[in-house]
Structures are given as structure tokens and as C-alpha cells.
Amino acid sequence: GAVVSQHPSRVICKSGTSVKIECRSLDFQATTMFWYRQFPKQSLMLMATSNEGSKATYEQGVEKDKFLINHASLTLSTLTVTSAHPEDSSFYICSPASADKRELFFGSGTQLSVL
Amino acid sequence: AQKVTQAQTEISVVEKEDVTLDCVYETRDTTYYLFWYKQPPSGELVFLIRRNSFDEQNEISGRYSWNFQKSTSSFNFTITASQVVDSAVYFCALASGTYKYIFGTGTRLKVLA
């Protein structure tokens, strides 16, 4: 399977700070990047979809100004949680997809804890 | 509307027992893909299988087997002779149309020694 690198794996931050999560596809070109959020004991919920070089499309209820997504290259996408609050504490998972999008690859996830 | 239902929230079995995880899906698309993923305590998602809507052939991979039945819109997953290492949350997922993936709520499997 494809190799996906997601960093950091765990981050603890103070309320009001911003946190950047990086996701790299190491052996294929990710034309599309999906970002998911998973609260404890719940399923993965799609937050946004981004195509390389384009603005991201956000799911209903997800604030685009709070969750900034940059997908400037075919191998790197970042999710920045701006002015994080305790309710943003969650497990964030990136998922780069190739052009046909028939198989998803997942990053190892980032556990964000906002104090 | 698309939907994936995993009615079993949590299952506990004793090691060496067989266990079946249920997945029922809804979609109006004729072309779609179904997936199973394993999420161990570490959190990382592990791909198990992908099946397209035109292939109803059941599949076996070691102790794992999958039963895809379009007539009942089900894609069930069976683990034979379960092991403690099988303990994890298992997600069923559906992808079609815009390739937006819909995940079920997951089934937490606990295999007791």
C-alpha cells in the first residue's frame, strides 16, 4: 500500500493557539486530500476535501476559517486549526487519494488535545 | 442518500471463536465500492478489503472472509478463530459517485484470552 506520513502524531496546546498538521504522500501523487475528524468512540467524519491547487470544499458545519487547509503540491497538504479550543480536541486523519480515488490511504492520525 | 449502518456497537468473544461483523449500506448508485478498515488502539486505519458493486464473489483471506450480497445490501465480515490481536474497531465504508466516502459508526471487537 501507499505510504502516508502524518505529523505530529500527538499535540497538546493551550486554548487560543494554532496547530498545524502535515500530511505527505510519499510514493504517489495525491490529487485529492480528504481530512477527517474522529471524536472518541465515534466514526470518522469528513471535514473537507481539497484538490491540489484549489480551495478546499468544507462539509456542512465545518468552519473554513477555523480549519485552514492548504494543498499546494501533489505530495503535501496541511490542516491548521486556528485559535484552538477544547472542543476541537479530536483525532484528525488525513487521507490522500490518487486520480481515480478508488482506494483510500490514511495517515496515522494526529491526536489533538486543547487545554 | 448514502448510508452505512453497523448495528453492532460492541462485540466480545472468547479467543478461537468465530465472529461476524455486520454492515448494511444504502446507495442509489449502481457503481460503488465497499471497504472494511481496522482501527487498532494506536488509531491508525488499516485497509482490509475493497469490493466493487459488480463483484459479488465472496472473498477469503486467511482467517478473514467477506460476504457481499447486493440483494440485502450487506457486506458482512467474518473472522474465523479469533485472536486477541484482532481486538480493534472495525469500520465499513461506502464510496460512490463523487467518491465521497461514508463510514459506518464502527464495531468494537474485544477478543478475550
Side-chain angles (χ1 to χ4, degrees), chain A residues 15 46-47 53 58 78 82 86 89 91 111 114:
Chain A
S15 185
L46 181 65
M47 298 175 64
Y58 291 80
T78 61
T82 62
S89 298
F91 191 61
Q111 182 64 55
V114 184

Side-chain angles (χ1 to χ4, degrees), chain B residues 68-80:
Chain B
F68 177 29
Q69 293 196 354
K70 291 179 72 172
S71 60
T72 55
S73 297
S74 65
F75 187 42
N76 296 338
F77 171 35
T78 297
I79 301 175
T80 303

Side-chain angles (χ1 to χ4, degrees), chain A residues 15-48:
Chain A
S15 185
T17 60
S18 294
V19 174
K20 179 183 283 189
I21 301 170
E22 286 192 355
C23 183
R24 295 178 185 273
S25 58
L26 302 181
D27 57 356
F28 74 102
Q29 295 185 328
T31 52
T32 301
M33 184 71 73
F34 300 98
W35 285 94
Y36 292 84
R37 179 168 53 184
Q38 184 182 29
F39 291 108
K41 296 188 178 183
Q42 294 188 24
S43 187
L44 285 77
M45 299 300 294
L46 181 65
M47 298 175 64

Side-chain angles (χ1 to χ4, degrees), chain B residues 12-96:
Chain B
S12 292
V13 298
V14 177
E15 206 169 20
K16 297 184 182 178
E17 285 185 358
D18 299 346
V19 59
T20 295
L21 309 182
D22 297 333
C23 174
V24 175
Y25 62 93
E26 293 178 32
T27 180
R28 294 180 181 176
D29 295 317
T30 55
T31 302
Y32 52 90
Y33 295 85
L34 294 164
F35 302 79
W36 275 96
Y37 287 89
K38 174 182 180 180
Q39 188 178 41
S42 62
E44 187 169 352
L45 283 162
V46 178
F47 169 80
L48 296 179
I49 190 172
R50 177 188 74 195
R51 177 53 48 87
N52 74 55
S53 53
F54 299 109
D55 182 4
E56 285 194 73
Q57 195 170 18
N58 291 330
E59 183 161 337
I60 298 175
S61 175
R63 296 184 297 108
Y64 296 167
S65 62
W66 290 269
N67 185 346
F68 177 29
Q69 293 196 354
K70 291 179 72 172
S71 60
T72 55
S73 297
S74 65
F75 187 42
N76 296 338
F77 171 35
T78 297
I79 301 175
T80 303
S82 60
Q83 300 175 3
V84 173
V85 292
D86 296 327
S87 297
V89 179
Y90 291 85
F91 290 98
C92 180
L94 166 71
S96 65

